[in-house]
Amino acid sequence: MNFTLKIWRQKDAKSKGCFKIYNVSDINSDTTFLEMLDILNNRLVLEGKEEPVAFAHDCREGICGMCGLFINGRANGPDSGVTACQLMMRKFKDGDTITVEPWRAKPFPVVKDLIVDRSAFDKILQVGGYISVNTGSAQEANTLLISQKNAEEAFDAAACIGCGACVATCKNSSAMLFVASKISHLARLPQGKIEAVERAKNMVAKMDELGFGGCSNTGACSVECPKNISLSHIAKLNREFIKAKFKK
Amino acid sequence: MTKLNSKIPEGPLDKKWDKHKLNIKLVSPANKEKLNIIVVGTGLAGSSAAASLAELGYNVKIFCFQDSPRRAHSIAAQGGINAAKNYQNDNDSVSRLFYDTIKGGDFRSREANTYRLAQLSGAIIDQSVAQGVPFARDYAGYLDNRSFGGTLVSRTFYARGQTGQQLLLGAYGALNRQIHTEKIKMFPNREMLDLVKIDGKARGIIVRNLITGKIEKYGAHAVVIASGGYANVFCLSTNAMGSNAGCIWQAYKKGAFFSNPGFVQIHPTCIPVHGEQQSKLTLMSESLRNDGRIWVPKDKTRAEKLRKSKTPASDATKISEDQRDYYLERRYPAYGNLVPRDVASRAAKERCDADFGVNASGNAVFLDFKHAIKKLGKKEIEKRYGNLFDMYYKLTADNPYEAPMQIYPAAHYTMGGSWVDYNLMTTIPGLYSIGEANFSDHGANRLGASALMQGLADGYFILPYTIGDYLANDINTPAIDINTPEFDEATKNVENRIDKLLSIDGSKTVDFFHKELYNIMWNHVGISRNKEGLKKAIALIKKLKEDFWKDLKIPKEKHTVNQELEKAGRVADFIELSELMAKDALSRNESCGGHFREDFQTDEGEALRDDSNYTYVSAWEYKGKDEEPIMHKENLIFENINLSKRSYK
Ligand SMILES: Cc1cc2nc3c(=O)[nH]c(=O)nc-3n(C[C@H](O)[C@H](O)[C@H](O)COP(=O)(O)OP(=O)(O)OC[C@H]3O[C@@H](n4cnc5c(N)ncnc54)[C@H](O)[C@@H]3O)c2cc1C
Ligand code: SF4
Ligand code: FES
């Protein structure tokens, strides 16, 4: 297959970026989107005229959350429920022009080309995205019974990979789905309930402080989330958050 | 002449760890506050260690090359984590987990370490549950288990097909909590490029800031390496793209012996290689072998037809039962599809080499769920493996609910690594190695679901105690000054190497050399090896190394993100390490675990172990750039079990 790529190039955080056009040919339909970029990059290196395209990636199996790209105006392109590394070129038509951009959101400044700085996510989790248990103080695991339903629902929320597609998709750059997934994961488990209210309060405050926008319930985040994190977790967050307000 | 002191405590096996803990020196809380520790790596081993050390009061600096600690490669572990809880009442016990692990490792690991691992396994599950890890549960709310290869009991705890992710997020939470209290300082986007030694002790590291390109130096009273495994020597492996051998290789060059480099695990169930443009291979979890059955056609011409077909998987559904060779069940009736990984990988290769392979390249066998779906229903199968089936479908466009999966072995895990004593300290005082980076517990083959267990045992429950024994003697040492000749020299060396890589200006990319290395290693130092092949590999690697340093081409930018430069450094290390792997494999004239020597096999094609000559751990000492390394031997002493033939028949 052959493609025309329109790729965002930006030297560093301070420089202004622009789109540049590249052609790639003889791409196998079983190739992933990132492998296609590898092929382009190998060519650019050998040509030696400009730097290869910088993009973040690691696991290449949809779990590390490192690789998000805005492709043809959608987070991770035309397929749903996948990360960029899992997007197959067979999802495109031969001859397509494909636009590739970094996540665009104020709290995620561009580092270079397609790489953005998502450290704001870590900062939100640092203020409370955990259960405060020291190593060694845990009780025997089976003395804590958790219904299968609660465990499964907690898992659904915990499956978030911290990729930022939700923020990039949201017109307000809200991090609500990301934050809600962690709050909901822990609030559904008995061992996570004790700190639930405090946790919600601290994480939401941090989210606001870091410049993420408010949630206006459009639901676009959940549609584009590669892990299909459900909007119902945002409702759960709101419940915890209301409790937090009452406690004040 | 051996310099190795494994420090295994005296006394009965089940009392060794307790006794050792009593004898370990303690550091007072006030003194812990004055001591600094560097941890390199934020996977299960690194995160759990850093969090636990900080909880104890030490000051920790932790590093990873990804943009967030949560992205360490442990995140990708799928199938599960073992623990001897005996929740299923199927007669499991610490002793049985210990025995399975030693036997699984083909009797090439230390009794004392392996026993301690089994002893600590239960506490890991307790700790993880307390952190909120959503393990699978039964209808009554109790924890559920599944079986994994190499065992006849059900002791694997799992969180769907994302156990590593959930365990890592638990440890990452613990890490975050300590970052918040400022006991831990986190340095993401940093790659360690050298170790700094002062007066023979590990005192710091040199890293490259992968965003700015700046070379930075950090000092501490002790350094802990938790950098994962080196299976990426094989560029088509199941490891993440950035997984590398840098830390343990630099440590080796600074005097930390490297053990069993040739022990590599080839995982039997990966999605086969398709075409030239591929960058990595995707694992299909071992848990699939609980319900999936592995087969090839009995008839060669039938297999040949499949190889020529455009739709081999759906054609396969038409092959009748009596025409299918469920070769694992045939060869190993006791364990069947649940034989350990090395056995399953070799058996797949054997069938494919004999022309029974079922995809275009001839390098694939079937993993079939037809019977399981019939017996348990599609719904139950979906519940157990839904996400894996989806992933398979997304990648291959074949639907495993309707037609069998095609799978083939791929490089996955490395049992070898830094030699460590019972305290997890390397041969450099003050330098520790934990998780997949060390060689410790898995002998010549690791059982499924045991790496997560080992990484967390090391990080939560072993290192936080044993490091005190060393640091207790260091309480009067002030914070390490990084403005010393030792730090300057290490910085200079790192800068020189980067400049050298940038200045080659040849005609081939890093990926080219990595693929060349893969071909050498896969063909000669892979699933099976022999004397001639290994010698050939060593010669080929030497040649490749010369070519690499003559003909590499990477972009010249130094003070910015330069991912080609990152890769170049890693591949340069892999090339050097490959030579040691081949030498190690050549020195071991026996077959054991993942190390299968064609020149040492039984008439039935099974591994031929040589206990009288090879019951040892190799530990290689670096002697200089153009010198031959020296192999030391740590003899393994078995006081509690008999070395039996490892049979799964
Ligand atoms: C696909 C897959 C599935 C698996 N499934 C299972 C399973 O089901 N059960 C099981 O028990 N095991 C499984 N394993 C094995 C297991 O996941 C690993 O052995 C284990 O997670 C390794 O953990 P670790 O903490 O030692 O290293 P890793 O998780 O690999 O972490 C390495 C860390 O070191 C850092 N690092 C590396 N090099 C440098 C450097 N030079 N400078 C700075 N930082 C560096 C990285 O950034 C990272 O933070 C699986 C492995 C793979 C590949
Ligand atoms: S909620 Fe979904 S889109 Fe947002 S960070 Fe998590 S996985 Fe990514
Ligand atoms: S590279 Fe890890 S999710 Fe894509």
Side-chain angles (χ1 to χ4, degrees):
Chain A
M1 301 171 90
N2 303 325
F3 302 100
T4 302
L5 305 172
K6 225 177 111 186
I7 302 181
W8 185 259
R9 303 301 312 259
Q10 181 172 337
K11 218 164 170 42
D12 51 39
K14 285 176 219 120
S15 314
K16 252 183 88 185
C18 65
F19 282 106
K20 281 202 169 175
I21 309 272
Y22 304 90
N23 292 307
V24 288
S25 47
D26 290 329
I27 303 292
N28 188 323
S29 63
D30 277 344
T31 302
T32 65
F33 199 83
L34 300 192
E35 285 165 355
M36 187 268 301
L37 290 180
D38 292 340
I39 293 167
L40 170 69
N41 276 344
N42 270 294
R43 197 184 81 206
L44 293 178
V45 171
L46 290 181
E47 286 171 1
K49 286 189 218 118
E50 60 179 319
E51 288 181 69
V53 182
F55 64 93
H57 65 100
D58 198 26
C59 73
R60 297 214 176 179
E61 27 188 271
I63 193 76
C64 76
M66 194 131 164
C67 66
L69 295 175
F70 227 62
I71 301 167
N72 284 346
R74 282 186 66 184
N76 301 320
D79 204 356
S80 59
V82 293
T83 51
C85 60
Q86 292 173 305
L87 176 64
M88 307 300 292
M89 293 315 292
R90 71 173 89 91
K91 294 284 166 185
F92 296 90
K93 284 202 288 297
D94 192 18
D96 273 359
T97 296
I98 308 173
T99 309
V100 195
E101 296 169 82
W103 286 165
R104 303 236 188 240
K106 211 169 85 230
F108 291 166
V110 173
V111 171
K112 181 170 185 169
D113 294 341
L114 304 173
I115 302 179
V116 298
D117 176 356
R118 280 169 296 201
S119 54
F121 268 8
D122 287 317
K123 292 192 184 117
I124 296 175
L125 294 180
Q126 281 159 16
V127 301
Y130 39 77
I131 292 171
S132 303
V133 52
N134 276 358
T135 305
S137 42
Q139 62 189 357
E140 209 294 322
N142 254 351
T143 53
L144 186 74
L145 298 189
I146 300 173
S147 74
Q148 198 180 59
K149 182 168 165 284
N150 274 348
E152 293 295 312
E153 281 174 2
F155 183 99
D156 287 338
C160 165
I161 57 174
C163 64
C166 45
V167 176
T169 301
C170 175
K171 62 180 170 42
N172 308 327
S173 299
S174 169
M176 235 6 199
L177 193 63
F178 167 77
V179 173
S181 70
K182 185 46 69 191
I183 286 173
S184 173
H185 156 211
L186 297 174
R188 275 167 211 274
L189 299 171
Q191 65 273 44
K193 281 214 161 69
I194 298 160
E195 297 171 285
V197 172
E198 208 50 23
R199 176 182 307 120
K201 209 172 80 187
N202 292 340
M203 287 175 67
V204 170
K206 195 69 182 177
M207 170 177 86
D208 293 343
E209 178 196 320
L210 292 167
F212 291 97
C215 172
S216 49
N217 282 314
T218 64
C221 52
S222 178
V223 174
E224 295 295 338
C225 169
K227 297 293 138 180
N228 302 319
I229 303 290
S230 149
L231 280 182
S232 65
H233 300 297
I234 295 187
K236 178 90 182 155
L237 181 154
N238 286 333
R239 281 200 296 281
E240 295 304 327
F241 196 61
I242 288 166
K243 279 190 225 160
K245 278 203 173 137
F246 273 113
K247 255 187 106 178
K248 262 204 284 203
Chain B
M1 69 130 199
T2 171
K3 301 179 191 168
L4 298 169
N5 178 4
S6 62
K7 302 207 174 134
I8 293 172
E10 297 289 318
L13 189 59
D14 59 345
K15 299 283 176 324
K16 280 183 197 286
W17 177 232
D18 274 352
K19 214 178 124 197
H20 190 64
K21 280 193 289 185
L22 254 188
N23 293 334
I24 282 176
K25 294 192 201 99
L26 292 178
V27 181
S28 74
N31 283 328
K32 282 186 184 127
E33 307 259 322
K34 291 190 247 157
L35 292 166
N36 304 314
I37 301 172
I38 283 175
V39 178
V40 186
T42 60
L44 286 174
S47 290
S48 60
S52 307
L53 290 166
E55 286 163 14
L56 290 172
Y58 295 107
N59 306 299
V60 179
K61 294 191 189 84
I62 186 165
F63 299 79
C64 70
F65 67 76
Q66 294 91 346
D67 67 346
S68 162
R70 66 179 293 155
R71 310 204 199 282
H73 186 52
S74 295
I75 202 88
Q78 301 173 350
I81 175 166
N82 288 331
K85 287 279 200 187
N86 194 32
Y87 283 163
Q88 306 306 323
N89 194 31
D90 52 2
N91 193 6
D92 196 10
S93 60
V94 167
S95 301
R96 191 176 299 282
L97 174 54
F98 156 70
Y99 184 76
D100 283 350
T101 309
I102 287 259
K103 178 184 169 197
D106 220 350
F107 306 95
R108 291 294 174 263
S109 53
R110 285 185 198 140
E111 277 190 342
N113 284 58
T114 311
Y115 194 87
R116 174 174 66 183
L117 177 63
Q119 278 177 310
L120 294 173
S121 63
I124 296 170
I125 302 303
D126 301 342
Q127 186 65 31
S128 310
V129 167
Q131 290 169 342
V133 171
F135 283 121
R137 296 191 174 255
D138 66 17
Y139 287 113
Y142 291 94
L143 287 156
D144 196 16
N145 293 113
R146 55 166 61 143
S147 304
F148 251 56
T151 63
L152 296 175
V153 293
S154 238
R155 64 160 78 97
T156 305
F157 294 78
Y158 64 102
R160 290 195 206 154
Q162 283 147 251
T163 316
Q165 179 197 30
Q166 294 309 318
L167 289 168
L168 184 61
L169 292 180
Y172 164 73
L175 181 73
N176 276 337
R177 180 168 158 244
Q178 296 304 319
I179 294 174
H180 190 52
T181 66
E182 296 180 3
K183 282 310 279 181
I184 297 184
K185 197 155 167 26
M186 175 71 226
F187 296 88
N189 295 311
R190 303 296 198 295
E191 178 157 348
M192 170 174 164
L193 294 177
D194 209 354
L195 175 76
V196 182
K197 268 168 63 177
I198 297 178
D199 298 333
K201 294 177 177 163
R203 291 301 195 190
I205 61 171
I206 309 294
V207 305
R208 180 167 180 270
N209 181 321
L210 301 181
I211 305 296
T212 63
K214 202 167 161 255
I215 305 301
E216 303 167 345
K217 30 190 191 175
Y218 298 92
H221 294 90
V223 176
V224 180
I225 292 180
S227 58
Y230 55 90
N232 257 356
V233 155
F234 301 83
C235 76
L236 290 179
S237 81
T238 63
N239 284 16
M241 301 300 285
S243 298
N244 68 88
C247 303
I248 49 177
W249 195 245
Q250 294 143 25
Y252 166 70
K253 289 186 167 177
K254 289 266 157 112
F257 293 5
F258 202 121
S259 274
N260 297 338
F263 286 173
V264 179
Q265 177 163 84
I266 312 283
H267 198 294
T269 55
C270 302
I271 300 182
V273 180
H274 57 81
E276 293 278 291
Q277 304 178 333
Q278 209 166 348
S279 60
K280 72 158 280 169
L281 294 174
T282 302
L283 177 77
M284 286 283 111
S285 168
E286 173 153 305
S287 59
L288 291 168
R289 288 199 272 141
N290 264 302
D291 291 303
R293 297 177 67 193
I294 296 178
W295 65 278
V296 292
K298 272 188 185 153
D299 178 26
K300 259 188 209 173
T301 51
R302 205 61 199 258
E304 199 185 328
K305 261 201 198 144
L306 291 172
R307 288 200 287 276
K308 289 191 178 138
S309 163
K310 280 218 159 76
T311 52
S314 61
D315 295 2
T317 58
K318 292 173 206 124
I319 297 177
S320 63
E321 282 302 313
D322 60 326
Q323 285 306 308
R324 298 176 173 205
D325 176 15
Y326 293 96
Y327 57 85
L328 288 177
E329 297 167 34
R330 167 171 60 79
R331 284 179 68 178
Y332 308 99
Y335 282 69
N337 293 294
L338 284 175
V339 291
R341 293 175 176 176
D342 56 325
V343 178
S345 288
R346 272 197 302 280
K349 181 172 172 354
E350 187 276 331
R351 283 293 81 188
C352 292
D353 288 352
D355 280 341
F356 291 93
V358 298
N359 71 353
S361 71
N363 288 323
V365 299
F366 290 125
L367 175 62
D368 205 330
F369 292 86
K370 183 176 103 175
H371 301 90
I373 291 174
K374 208 161 155 198
K375 188 171 128 208
L376 302 163
K378 189 176 160 193
K379 233 178 146 176
E380 179 59 27
I381 294 298
E382 194 177 335
K383 197 170 132 220
R384 289 185 191 180
Y385 312 111
N387 62 331
L388 294 170
F389 279 35
D390 289 349
M391 176 148 101
Y392 184 85
Y393 177 67
K394 284 237 144 82
L395 285 170
T396 63
D398 278 332
N399 182 351
Y401 292 104
E402 280 156 21
M405 288 182 178
Q406 290 172 308
I407 50 153
Y408 199 66
H412 176 61
Y413 179 91
T414 45
M415 281 74 71
S418 311
W419 182 90
V420 288
D421 63 17
Y422 192 68
N423 291 328
L424 306 179
M425 188 153 92
T426 67
T427 48
I428 298 177
L431 181 70
Y432 291 78
S433 180
I434 59 176
E436 194 176 337
N438 72 26
F439 88 103
S440 68
D441 301 347
H442 307 294
N445 171 59
R446 172 177 70 81
L447 287 185
S450 288
L452 303 182
M453 169 172 74
Q454 182 226 328
L456 289 177
D458 288 0
Y460 283 134
F461 300 118
I462 302 173
L463 183 84
Y465 299 157
T466 58
I467 204 167
D469 200 42
Y470 174 79
L471 290 174
N473 298 323
D474 233 9
I475 50 175
N476 294 319
T477 309
I480 303 302
D481 180 8
I482 53 170
N483 297 308
T484 63
E486 291 88 349
F487 275 93
D488 292 344
E489 195 195 317
T491 308
K492 191 105 232 117
N493 289 343
V494 165
E495 283 168 349
N496 287 345
R497 181 161 121 138
I498 290 174
D499 289 338
K500 205 167 150 201
L501 285 167
L502 292 172
S503 67
I504 302 171
D505 205 21
S507 67
K508 302 207 170 69
T509 61
V510 188
D511 288 356
F512 170 86
F513 289 104
H514 203 179
K515 282 192 180 143
E516 289 291 295
L517 182 64
Y518 171 78
N519 289 333
I520 300 171
M521 295 302 281
W522 185 251
N523 291 331
H524 302 298
V525 198
I527 300 182
S528 55
R529 299 113 182 239
N530 61 56
K531 191 171 162 193
E532 295 318 309
L534 289 165
K535 283 189 172 158
K536 192 170 159 196
I538 292 170
L540 289 171
I541 294 165
K542 284 202 163 110
K543 174 81 182 41
L544 187 71
K545 187 171 160 184
E546 271 175 36
D547 292 348
F548 176 90
W549 287 99
K550 267 202 304 245
D551 202 16
L552 175 74
K553 184 167 174 122
I554 55 175
K556 301 237 179 283
E557 286 73 11
K558 201 154 74 162
H559 303 293
T560 172
V561 178
N562 184 341
Q563 294 169 316
E564 293 293 308
L565 172 64
E566 295 165 25
K567 280 197 285 185
R570 293 170 193 159
V571 170
D573 292 337
F574 285 147
I575 293 175
E576 292 180 11
L577 168 55
S578 293
E579 194 179 328
L580 192 68
M581 291 166 72
K583 279 184 181 149
D584 188 55
L586 185 62
S587 72
R588 198 172 269 279
N589 291 316
E590 64 161 350
S591 293
C592 60
H595 170 69
F596 186 78
R597 285 276 301 263
E598 287 158 359
D599 27 0
F600 300 96
Q601 56 178 314
T602 65
D603 293 341
E604 295 156 331
E606 301 295 338
L608 197 60
R609 222 174 57 213
D610 177 356
D611 290 335
S612 45
N613 293 305
Y614 293 94
T615 311
Y616 64 75
V617 170
S618 69
W620 294 85
E621 179 181 6
Y622 182 72
K623 284 306 219 181
K625 194 161 165 277
D626 299 310
E627 305 292 319
E628 276 298 304
I630 294 182
M631 195 226 289
H632 301 266
K633 294 177 185 174
E634 181 195 333
N635 287 317
L636 293 167
I637 297 154
F638 291 91
E639 293 168 335
N640 298 278
I641 52 174
N642 295 322
L643 274 68
S644 61
K645 183 163 171 261
R646 179 170 167 254
S647 168
Y648 293 93
K649 288 201 183 266

